[in-house]
């Protein structure tokens, strides 16, 4: 992890990773970021021309068929999200259309619209993917975490285990299921943290951020290699107006989120992780 011309000191990394709670970790981390004027967290990636991106919106009785309904809303209507403050427009997109109904919290029987965009001109985005950086790996896990239990299916809630009374930075890395329950272990609101991370990333990458969905939790960063599902471009994107200017809208279609879609959840993954950790504990 780098600052403007300097590198995070080894003693700082050790102190951060030895924190007894996430709240302590972020208090120290953001203190360092202010003190050292940190701007670069992870690697930058180019979204190449021709990349197809998608956006899902729930159908609430009003057809969403016009292009002007698929770009950012006027600031006065914008509410805080994962990487944006109130009144700060950000467009949330993804390359994997099957993930998006989970991201917006659809339930079986819900109707939704799926819009399609094409990248016309390649542009760079920031990320939290970086080799040999445990601190950035912790940030990556927090950035992909769900914000509340309503995003989990009934089976996911039933199978999920919170193994620790107090979640620490190292425990986040030990448990691949941690993005599903981190929100329960933080005194601070999750979006307060992720918005401040976005501020740091966008100092270097003003077009936006590439991040991982917790519903495709196979990404690994922080070690000697970065592991992703199908290349670093596959993922979710939070794009500013500068990033959006490189896209064109291709249209949208209305779809139904079915019971079969709903049952195709992460409960099997959660159980695999549980079983693996049980073996480690014995």
């Amino acid at each position: 992890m780098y600052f403007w011309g300097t590198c995070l000191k080894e003693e700082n990394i050790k102190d951060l990773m030895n924190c007894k709670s996430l709240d302590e970790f972020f208090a120290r981390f953001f203190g360092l970021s202010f003190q050292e004027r940190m701007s670069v967290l992870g690697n930058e990636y180019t979204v190449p021309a021709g990349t197809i991106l998608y956006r899902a919106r729930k159908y609430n009785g009003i057809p969403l068929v016009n292009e002007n309904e698929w770009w950012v809303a006027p600031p006065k209507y914008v509410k805080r999200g994962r990487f944006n403050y109130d009144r700060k427009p950000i467009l949330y997109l993804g390359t994997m259309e099957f993930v998006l109904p989970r991201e917006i919290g659809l339930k079986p029987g819900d109707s939704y619209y799926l819009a399609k965009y094409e990248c016309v001109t390649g542009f760079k985005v920031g990320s939290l993917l970086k080799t040999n950086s445990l601190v950035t790996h912790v940030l990556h896990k927090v950035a992909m975490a769900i914000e509340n239990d309503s995003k989990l299916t009934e089976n996911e809630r039933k199978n999920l285990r919170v193994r620790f009374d107090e979640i620490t930075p190292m425990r986040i890395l030990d448990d691949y299921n941690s993005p599903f329950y981190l929100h329960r272990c933080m005194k601070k609101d999750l979006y307060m943290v992720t918005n401040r991370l976005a501020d740091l990333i966008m100092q270097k990458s003003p077009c936006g951020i590439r991040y991982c969905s917790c519903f495709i939790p196979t990404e690994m960063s922080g070690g000697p290699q970065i592991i992703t599902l199908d290349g670093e471009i596959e993922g979710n994107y939070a794009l500013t107006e500068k990033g959006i200017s490189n896209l064109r809208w291709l249209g949208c279609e209305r779809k139904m989120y079915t019971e079969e879609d709903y049952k195709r959840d992460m409960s099997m993954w959660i159980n695999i992780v549980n079983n693996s950790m049980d073996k480690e504990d014995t």
Side-chain angles (χ1 to χ4, degrees), residues 167-199:
I167 190 79
T168 67
M170 289 305 299
R171 284 172 177 167
I172 285 180
L173 306 187
D174 290 339
D175 187 353
Y176 289 109
N177 285 336
S178 59
F180 296 116
Y181 62 76
L182 285 180
H183 63 284
R184 304 179 189 173
C185 308
M186 297 173 62
K187 294 177 182 176
K188 287 187 177 180
D189 179 85
L190 177 70
Y191 283 176
M192 287 180 63
V193 171
T194 55
N195 274 208
R196 292 187 70 180
L197 290 177
D199 288 341

Side-chain angles (χ1 to χ4, degrees), residues 2 103 172 177 222 254:
Y2 293 90
E103 295 282 0
I172 285 180
N177 285 336
R254 186 172 162 183

Side-chain angles (χ1 to χ4, degrees), residues 15 23 150:
D15 286 344
D23 294 288
S150 70

Side-chain angles (χ1 to χ4, degrees), residues 14-245:
K14 185 176 180 180
D15 286 344
L16 285 168
M17 296 307 298
N18 286 333
C19 286
K20 302 301 183 185
S21 69
L22 278 183
D23 294 288
E24 180 188 356
F25 173 88
F26 280 111
R28 292 193 179 202
F29 173 77
F30 288 123
L32 282 169
S33 69
F34 178 78
Q35 177 184 339
E36 303 290 346
R37 301 181 71 199
M38 181 169 59
S39 62
V40 183
L41 296 176
N43 299 335
E44 266 198 328
Y45 292 102
T46 298
V47 182
T51 301
I52 300 298
L53 299 158
Y54 301 91
R55 182 186 178 195
R57 293 181 66 188
K58 184 178 179 181
Y59 172 61
N60 288 315
I62 300 174
L64 301 169
V65 295
N66 297 318
E67 179 179 353
N68 61 5
E69 294 168 316
W70 289 97
W71 299 106
V72 292
K76 65 180 180 179
Y77 298 118
V78 175
K79 296 181 180 179
R80 186 179 60 158
R82 186 173 300 271
F83 295 117
N84 71 282
Y85 297 100
D86 285 335
R87 298 176 175 265
K88 183 179 179 182
I90 286 284
L91 192 64
Y92 291 93
L93 306 173
T95 59
M96 295 172 282
E97 59 177 288
F98 63 91
V99 174
L100 300 182
R102 293 297 312 270
E103 295 282 0
I104 64 173
L106 293 183
K107 304 299 181 188
D110 284 343
S111 245
Y112 69 101
Y113 282 90
L114 184 74
K116 190 175 181 180
Y117 306 76
E118 181 184 15
C119 177
V120 178
T121 306
F123 62 100
K124 291 184 180 297
V125 292
S127 80
L128 287 166
L129 293 176
K130 196 166 188 67
T131 56
N132 302 314
S133 174
L134 291 178
V135 172
T136 306
H137 194 185
V138 173
L139 303 179
H140 174 75
K141 290 278 192 180
V142 172
M144 66 190 279
I146 63 170
E147 60 271 37
N148 56 63
D149 282 358
S150 70
K151 289 293 184 73
L152 297 172
T153 67
E154 183 179 346
N155 282 337
E156 288 167 345
R157 285 193 292 270
K158 188 184 302 181
N159 295 332
L160 186 63
R161 298 184 202 165
V162 181
R163 292 177 172 268
F164 313 107
D165 294 330
E166 188 73 70
I167 190 79
T168 67
M170 289 305 299
R171 284 172 177 167
I172 285 180
L173 306 187
D174 290 339
D175 187 353
Y176 289 109
N177 285 336
S178 59
F180 296 116
Y181 62 76
L182 285 180
H183 63 284
R184 304 179 189 173
C185 308
M186 297 173 62
K187 294 177 182 176
K188 287 187 177 180
D189 179 85
L190 177 70
Y191 283 176
M192 287 180 63
V193 171
T194 55
N195 274 208
R196 292 187 70 180
L197 290 177
D199 288 341
L200 295 174
I201 297 170
M202 289 184 192
Q203 288 179 36
K204 175 69 175 180
S205 305
C207 286
I209 300 168
R210 180 256 184 234
Y211 65 105
C212 177
S213 170
C214 70
F215 303 113
I216 304 288
T218 51
E219 287 196 352
M220 294 182 65
S221 180
Q225 289 183 313
I226 292 171
I227 299 173
T228 62
L229 182 68
D230 188 20
E232 292 88 353
I233 299 306
E234 294 287 0
N236 288 348
Y237 290 83
L239 300 182
T240 64
E241 294 197 40
K242 184 174 182 178
I244 295 165
S245 67

Side-chain angles (χ1 to χ4, degrees), residues 252-266:
C252 66
E253 61 177 320
R254 186 172 162 183
K255 307 188 78 169
M256 177 72 71
Y257 190 59
T258 67
E259 186 73 33
E260 183 180 347
D261 295 326
Y262 181 76
K263 289 180 178 177
R264 203 179 296 122
D265 63 7
M266 296 301 300

